[in-house]
């Protein structure tokens, strides 16, 4: 019997697809996040998921309404995991921290506190951030460049490790009869004097039950790959295809091995956006609705400043190198794409059209007036402008995807995104999760009581490479 996959939920209460909040019954009020977060946490824990994961973004603005509405207003990740600590008992809780702006001592302290309060269920995702507006929110003139950010991130990790190691396991004596509370020899300073991070320590929180709290890293640049491969327990990747994912995982494992670390020490986690329904056809209809409701440059949207520039037929035509005088550039969004026009979109157009047949059941008609579900320019523009790791179908189709990626060496696990809440997360936990469990890809829901996140993720103890 092979080991189960690592499967966690990447929680975005407004839904992970930009038109998710517009679906019937979808959660759409971030001021009411408490109830939906509680619901998602219980649902995920009951389904046997390994962790709840919260990303972070250190700024907001009206442009996000169209690009990533879930980023507009949400609970900060450390607050979210602390809130959920009290309503869960087994599931891991991973919060994102931005190393460019966060203070390492404060981060070590709040994560150690979460670990103590949850009996060892804390994890931290370290990112260096890609949002330039974050600088203005933190008193900086500009967002630091990639090299500077990763120099700091590396020192940040070192600071966390030293601070979490402040107390020896047996330093807390609490011998009431003798009046001896601690062994002062077991309390260690951090004494890190880096170029960007300086911290003395020790940490004023008890030793975390996990000792070293699992570290996750998400990024795409070469420096990010190096940090993930040498320091992280979980590496979050964003490979769009199976072939890319296999190559990325291999690269991370190779870098780990070169650094003297076991390649198995870094678990590679791929994002997936399952759209789950009772039948493949029903699931495709949900994707069609999601695509149809993506805001495009029309009506009141077009008048908004900072509207994403790629939401027009002309922008799609540019992306696919269509001739400048081709009349398809002015096609109305709701007109079906004709076979002749599809040819003029070239190879990349053909690939997108094939993908839309698979995920949304949409097809190009010979005449341009197809019966059934015709592919329109709206669908094409939306799918091109808002790519997503869609996997669409019934429980078996979803489980087949997870199994294939595991068998092909593309991923050690998945971060499950839900297009809208709570219906699509419930569809995953109630339909797909039992099928995954039946195949041995997901742990039994009842397992894991009293286990730490480190145990759940089967992370070997931290070895300094
Ligand atoms: C799967 C995944 C999840 C990410 N989540 C976040 C996040 O929650 N917050 C954030 O600021 N950046 C996040 N990032 C962005 C990275 O921090 C990174 O800045 C971006 O991918 C650019 O890569 P680089 O930093 O290696 O140049 C994520 C990236 C990936 C691949």
């Amino acid at each position: 019997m092979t080991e189960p996959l690592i499967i966690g939920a990447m929680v975005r209460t407004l839904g992970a697809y930009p038109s998710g909040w517009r679906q019937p019954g979808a959660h759409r009020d971030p001021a009411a996040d408490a109830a939906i977060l509680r619901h998602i946490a219980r649902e995920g824990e009951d389904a046997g998921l390994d962790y709840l994961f919260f990303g972070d973004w250190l700024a907001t603005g009206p442009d996000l309404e169209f690009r990533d509405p879930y980023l507009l207003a949400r609970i900060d990740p450390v607050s979210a995991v602390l809130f959920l600590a009290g309503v869960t008992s087994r599931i891991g809780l991973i919060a994102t921290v931005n190393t460019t702006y966060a203070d390492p001592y404060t981060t070590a302290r709040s994560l150690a506190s979460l670990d103590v309060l949850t009996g060892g269920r804390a994890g931290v995702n370290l990112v260096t951030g890609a949002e330039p507006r974050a600088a203005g929110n933190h008193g900086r003139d500009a967002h630091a460049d990639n090299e500077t950010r990763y120099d700091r991130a590396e020192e940040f990790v070192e600071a966390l490790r030293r601070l979490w190691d402040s107390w020896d396991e047996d330093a807390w004596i609490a011998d009431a009869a003798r009046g001896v509370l601690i062994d002062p020899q077991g309390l260690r300073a951090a004494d890190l004097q880096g170029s960007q991070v300086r911290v003395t320590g020790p940490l004023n929180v008890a030793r975390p039950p996990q000792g070293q709290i699992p570290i996750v890293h998400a990024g795409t640049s070469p420096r990010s790959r190096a940090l993930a491969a040498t320091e992280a327990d979980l590496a979050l990747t964003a490979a769009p295809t199976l072939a890319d994912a296999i190559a990325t995982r291999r690269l991370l494992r190779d870098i780990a091995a070169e650094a003297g670390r076991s390649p198995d020490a870094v678990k590679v986690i791929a994002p997936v956006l399952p759209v789950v329904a009772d039948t493949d056809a029903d699931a495709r209809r949900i994707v069609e609705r999601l695509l149809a409701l993506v805001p495009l440059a029309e009506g009141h949207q077009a008048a908004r400043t900072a509207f994403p520039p790629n939401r027009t037929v002309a922008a799609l035509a540019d992306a696919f190198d269509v001739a400048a005088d081709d009349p398809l550039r002015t096609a109305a969004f709701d007109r079906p794409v004709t076979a002749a026009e599809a040819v003029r979109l070239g190879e990349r157009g053909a690939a997108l059209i094939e993908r839309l047949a698979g995920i949304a059941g949409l097809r190009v008609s010979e005449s341009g007036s197809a019966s059934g579900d015709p592919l329109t320019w709206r669908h094409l523009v939306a799918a091109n402008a808002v790519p997503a790791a869609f996997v669409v179908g019934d429980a078996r189709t979803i489980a087949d995807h997870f199994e294939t990626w595991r068998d092909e060496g593309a991923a050690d696990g998945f971060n499950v995104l839900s297009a809208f809440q709570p219906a699509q997360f419930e569809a995953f936990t109630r339909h797909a999760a039992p099928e995954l469990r039946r195949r041995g890809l997901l742990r039994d829901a009842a397992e894991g009581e009293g286990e730490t996140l480190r145990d759940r993720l089967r992370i070997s103890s931290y070895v300094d490479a």
Side-chain angles (χ1 to χ4, degrees):
M1 174 96 178
T2 51
E3 282 193 341
L5 287 160
I6 293 167
I7 301 180
M10 187 181 267
V11 181
R12 295 175 177 170
T13 59
L14 249 71
Y17 201 74
S19 56
W21 67 272
R22 299 181 66 186
Q23 303 300 312
H27 176 75
R28 51 181 73 117
D29 179 7
D33 269 2
I36 193 89
L37 284 172
R38 246 189 246 116
H39 179 75
I40 291 168
R42 295 211 178 103
E43 193 77 26
E45 183 161 82
D46 289 347
L49 299 194
D50 291 311
Y51 57 80
L52 301 167
F53 176 101
F54 294 85
D56 199 16
W57 207 252
L58 296 178
T60 191
D63 54 306
L64 295 174
E65 178 182 356
F66 308 108
R67 265 201 311 120
D68 293 306
Y70 69 90
L71 293 177
L72 274 168
R74 62 176 179 177
I75 304 299
D76 97 80
V78 174
S79 302
V81 291
L82 284 167
F83 172 65
L84 295 176
V87 300
T88 53
S89 63
R90 297 186 302 272
I91 198 162
L93 297 165
I94 302 180
T96 295
V97 168
N98 188 316
T99 57
T100 306
Y101 300 101
D103 168 62
Y105 189 84
T106 310
T107 303
R109 191 178 180 208
S110 55
L111 267 296
S113 300
L114 175 69
D115 208 48
V116 169
L117 290 170
T118 58
R121 292 188 288 131
V124 63
N125 173 40
L126 300 177
V127 298
T128 72
E131 165 60 85
R133 284 175 289 195
N137 287 337
H138 295 84
R140 313 269 178 89
D141 292 333
H143 190 54
D145 62 23
N146 181 277
E147 289 292 316
T148 310
R149 295 204 313 275
Y150 279 92
D151 287 348
R152 179 174 164 88
E154 286 169 6
E155 291 178 7
F156 200 108
V157 171
E158 183 61 27
L160 293 181
R161 299 238 192 256
R162 292 192 192 184
L163 288 166
W164 289 331
D165 229 5
S166 291
W167 295 91
D168 279 353
E169 273 181 64
D170 53 4
W172 202 267
I173 294 171
D175 184 333
R178 288 197 297 136
V180 177
L181 195 52
I182 64 164
D183 169 10
Q185 304 297 324
L187 181 57
R188 202 171 297 110
D191 278 341
L192 178 65
Q193 297 297 321
S195 65
Q196 299 201 44
V197 172
R198 290 201 295 278
V199 60
T200 47
L203 190 65
N204 58 348
V205 181
R207 183 177 179 84
Q210 298 185 96
Q212 291 296 321
I213 291 169
I215 288 181
V216 184
H217 175 63
T220 49
S221 60
R223 288 291 301 269
S224 163
R225 299 269 184 257
L227 181 66
T230 55
E231 296 292 350
D233 300 297
L234 302 188
L236 304 193
T237 57
T241 65
L242 179 65
D244 284 337
I246 294 168
T248 302
R249 180 166 174 272
R250 192 173 298 142
L251 176 67
L252 286 164
R253 291 171 64 85
D254 286 350
I255 301 172
E258 277 164 30
R261 195 180 185 208
S262 162
D264 294 331
V266 55
K267 316 272 188 200
V268 180
I269 308 297
V272 63
L273 201 163
V275 175
V276 192
D278 287 337
T279 66
D280 287 352
D282 285 349
R284 288 192 196 112
R285 264 189 286 280
I286 295 172
V287 176
E288 190 281 327
R289 266 208 325 264
L290 285 166
L291 292 171
L293 290 174
V294 169
L296 300 183
E298 59 186 331
H300 67 97
Q301 325 275 29
R304 290 284 294 266
T305 51
F307 189 79
N310 59 354
R311 309 257 175 117
T312 65
V313 178
L316 178 87
D318 284 340
F320 292 160
D321 298 325
V322 172
D325 58 352
D326 193 310
L328 72 71
R329 288 174 171 275
T330 57
F333 285 127
D334 290 313
R335 185 167 70 63
V337 178
T338 68
E341 288 167 336
V343 170
R344 304 209 295 279
L345 294 174
E347 263 177 43
R348 278 175 299 144
L352 183 62
I353 288 169
E354 190 186 328
R355 178 160 163 73
L356 283 171
I359 64 174
L362 299 163
R363 281 176 221 293
V364 174
S365 65
E366 283 306 316
S367 62
S369 57
S371 57
D373 293 317
L375 175 76
T376 65
W377 289 101
R378 179 177 299 283
H379 298 123
L380 266 190
V381 172
N384 185 59
V386 190
F390 280 125
V391 178
V392 183
D394 64 11
R396 282 174 35 203
T397 303
I398 305 295
D400 285 348
H401 174 91
F402 280 55
E403 200 165 3
T404 303
W405 278 49
R406 197 269 311 267
D407 293 348
E408 297 284 335
D412 300 295
F414 291 91
N415 259 352
V416 174
L417 296 145
S418 296
F420 49 98
Q421 293 286 1
Q424 271 302 305
F425 187 58
E426 289 172 356
F428 180 80
T429 53
R430 297 177 189 186
H431 299 296
E435 177 64 17
L436 289 166
R437 203 173 303 121
R438 202 183 60 73
R439 300 186 192 192
L441 298 169
L442 175 66
R443 290 172 28 142
D444 209 64
E447 288 176 30
E449 196 71 55
E451 246 184 18
T452 66
L453 178 60
R454 183 162 279 277
D455 296 334
R456 273 193 94 99
L457 302 178
R458 299 176 297 282
I459 295 171
S460 47
S461 57
Y462 168 67
V463 181
D464 205 342

